Amino acid sequence: MKNPFRSDSPAAAESRPCVLVIFGASGDLTHRKLVPALYNLELDGLLPAQFSLIGAARRDFQDDTFRSGLEKSVAEHSRRSPLDRDVWQEFAAHSYYVKCPFDEPSGYQALKEKLDEIDRNAGTCCIKVFYLATAPEFFDNIAGHLAGTGLLDSSSDPQCKPRVIVEKPFGNDLSSAKSLNYALLRHMTEDQIYRIDHYLGKETVQNLSVFRFSNGIFEPLWNHQYIDHVEISVCESIGVGSRGGYFDTSGILRDIVQNHALQLLCLVALEPPVSLDADAVRDEKVKVLRSVRRIRMQNVADRTVRAQYLAGSAAGEPVRGYLEETGVPAASKTETYVALALAIDNWRWAGVPFFLRAGKRLAKRVTEISVHFKNVPYLLFKKEDVPSLNPNILSFQIQPDEGISIRISAKPPGPKVRVQPVNMDFRYGTSFGAEPPEAYERLLLDCMRGDATLFTRNDEIEQAWEIVDPVLEAWQDASTGVPVYGYEAGSWGPVEADQLLSKYIGKGWHRL
Ligand code: BG6
């Protein structure tokens, strides 16, 4: 049996003892994502030696009740099943619960005592990671109390600097994001803050940089001379489910585009960083975001399409429309679909449109980036009855069916010259024979190791809000006359989204 707590495990030996404290320990994220991710890290022997977990929340739990709740969730949500009981028992033995109402100093005192006890038992100062998996209105309060209790002080050992992971949403617009940054920075330094965007932890997203910067043949073509346009699609088949109340205050532009989709755009468009250090990579992402042309109020109607799903079907079953979902006001104008045409004003990308779309209740769940190359300069096969050619497309399938494919033209066998598009394919499953880990596994581990490369920096978040804010403002202003279209649940979104692309490239979205 593998014992991830044993210090002779290679991964464990290289890292320091660590305690992860999750605020919001009884919440959905903890149960569906965070603890299953920790369990999978443990299965792989990747957790630091002497890892401990502390759940902090308002409810009255004992360690035992906390552990048995987690066990049920891990059994249900772990990517690998059935649960390995031996590994789980060892993990659970180092999981504790501390009752900590977020605004009561006594809870933080109890937390400090528990952390001191863990340090004493470890015989050293463990790295402390505080995960704020609560509603954002508690972030400032929790950070203030942690600082007030001395829990964010850098100890004499700089390796041991406490870290704070902040979940999204990071603000609701530029001004609230700035206030939140300001509030957090009163209690800690920027290098202690790890802002999560779970898309950056996805294997396929990390592969974008590896693909671009470790293959000599693509980078020379990666610019306006050879690339016609780029499409980024984040399509979900699920509706808002039980999150109607929250979603209605957000909308898909804030929920997906401001963070996940713009991060994908950054990774496609960035210049080669000077190194893979956190700040070197993030500097390049910020440059991209600064180059994205801000959409002016008067252009929002021309460059964006927003829509809501209507009743339709999902997985063969009838489903209701957005306005009939629980928690959604009947007159809501919140968008569940958005399409945007963006321009990047820099040397590399001048004149190359970047189209982004995101939506709920679409025909299928698929996240894909497709890079569309310009066509050949001259059609040599006209006389052979080949009226036109399909340009090359390089597609990154982020999920599901993770992989990369390139559409090329080829001659089908036979006496006549004909030209047909075919795909060259790489699939993770077949090439590596392993299922990629969950994003949270990688991100939790990186934070414990003190690597912030895959976390978003203060200025990235603010730049992303600068892009999105004018669109939100124009949508809210009835005088701009940007309609909220409808689309049938289970379709590919409103026809107006295809018309948006047609204005620029003469055709609609690439078929997924
Ligand atoms: C979250 C959004 O950030 O990402 C959800 O709040 C969305 O609305 C989810 O469903 C999508 O994540 P994934 O990993 O399933 O693509």
Side-chain angles (χ1 to χ4, degrees), residues 345-409:
D345 288 331
N346 66 17
W347 197 266
R348 188 189 283 262
W349 295 114
V352 180
F354 278 68
F355 302 109
L356 270 53
R357 68 173 155 172
K360 301 242 177 232
R361 278 276 184 253
L362 295 177
K364 61 179 182 192
R365 174 177 182 252
V366 50
T367 300
E368 185 178 299
I369 300 169
S370 55
V371 178
H372 298 245
F373 287 87
K374 292 190 170 160
N375 219 332
V376 295
Y378 175 70
L379 182 54
L380 193 57
F381 308 101
K382 249 187 274 178
K383 287 211 186 94
E384 325 284 337
D385 267 355
V386 176
S388 64
L389 293 175
N390 292 294
N392 299 117
I393 302 176
L394 173 60
S395 306
F396 298 90
Q397 279 98 30
I398 307 293
Q399 62 190 19
D401 195 18
E402 291 83 357
I404 298 174
S405 60
I406 303 180
R407 186 176 82 177
I408 54 171
S409 293

Side-chain angles (χ1 to χ4, degrees), residues 35 55 119 127 131 147 280 297 323 340 398 449 451 474:
V35 180
D119 276 356
I127 293 171
Y131 198 124
M297 274 293 241
L323 295 181
L340 301 173
I398 307 293
R449 290 173 173 159
D451 182 352

Side-chain angles (χ1 to χ4, degrees), residues 251-300:
I252 206 87
L253 187 64
R254 289 188 176 98
D255 192 45
I256 298 284
V257 174
Q258 187 273 342
N259 36 75
H260 309 325
L262 284 177
Q263 284 294 326
L264 296 180
L265 176 142
C266 284
L267 294 172
V268 174
L270 55 66
E271 295 299 318
V274 291
S275 74
L276 288 183
D277 288 351
D279 276 335
V281 174
R282 298 187 296 181
D283 286 347
E284 295 307 331
K285 287 200 283 169
V286 169
K287 283 192 211 160
V288 174
L289 294 169
R290 286 175 54 199
S291 316
V292 172
R293 191 182 305 161
R294 301 330 187 216
I295 304 182
R296 289 213 292 256
M297 274 293 241
Q298 63 268 33
N299 296 333
V300 168

Side-chain angles (χ1 to χ4, degrees), residues 30 101 138 215 229 248 286 351 367 396 405:
T30 305
F138 297 114
N215 292 297
H229 68 278
D248 200 67
V286 169
T367 300
F396 298 90
S405 60

Side-chain angles (χ1 to χ4, degrees), residues 100-160:
C100 185
F102 303 144
D103 47 5
E104 273 181 29
S106 59
Y108 296 86
Q109 204 46 51
L111 182 60
K112 183 170 182 339
E113 281 159 25
K114 188 73 203 172
L115 287 166
D116 288 345
E117 179 193 318
I118 293 174
D119 276 356
R120 274 196 306 279
N121 291 343
T124 182
C125 156
C126 301
I127 293 171
K128 320 286 182 310
V129 176
F130 299 98
Y131 198 124
L132 309 190
T134 64
E137 59 262 32
F138 297 114
F139 292 169
D140 185 15
N141 208 339
I142 296 173
H145 281 292
L146 287 174
T149 322
L151 287 170
L152 297 182
D153 291 348
S154 299
S155 63
S156 48
D157 181 350
Q159 304 263 17
C160 228

